[in-house]
Amino acid sequence: MTRRIYLDVNIFRDYLEDRKNKFGQGLENRAEKVFDRTFSCEFEIVVSDWAIRQLSQQGMLQKAMILFQQLLERNKIIRIKTDKEDIDEAKKSGNYDDCLHAILAKKSNAECIVTRNVPDFLPFARLIEPKLPERL
């Protein structure tokens, strides 16, 4: 059975930018494995309008759209939109950006949010479980 996961923006960036951690190790390989497993029908990836907006603000939208198109062609992408209630709930937290991602992940019925910043998402673990890509 296909598992539904929500990806934090940093996972897209790791993959699209070939980013490294502070020890010089490539993070793109870990992100690439998530996408390989998705194309092998293990996952469906949830992409929110909020993630798309952040990718756009970071100058990554053009690269990301190529990846999104590949996922769309294989029916491996689920789109979710932010509504006023989501925004209002996120504003109540001390970390609007991550809280909104957590809210949208829960709203999409994802089993987890895949992120490099697990500690940032621990305050929202009641909504959705944060996981490193290598822990899937």
Side-chain angles (χ1 to χ4, degrees), residues 24-59:
Q25 299 166 320
L27 298 172
E28 76 282 357
N29 292 335
R30 294 171 185 166
E32 183 177 20
K33 286 181 184 175
V34 173
F35 292 108
D36 288 345
R37 291 170 68 186
T38 300
F39 289 125
S40 296
C41 298
E42 188 174 343
F43 303 125
E44 294 175 313
I45 294 177
V46 177
V47 177
S48 67
D49 56 348
W50 179 236
I52 290 170
R53 183 178 195 171
Q54 288 184 313
L55 287 166
S56 178
Q57 291 170 342
Q58 296 167 9

Side-chain angles (χ1 to χ4, degrees), residues 59-71:
M60 297 301 305
L61 188 57
Q62 188 173 359
K63 282 184 176 182
M65 291 307 289
I66 295 167
L67 176 61
F68 294 159
Q69 184 61 37
Q70 293 170 343
L71 291 165

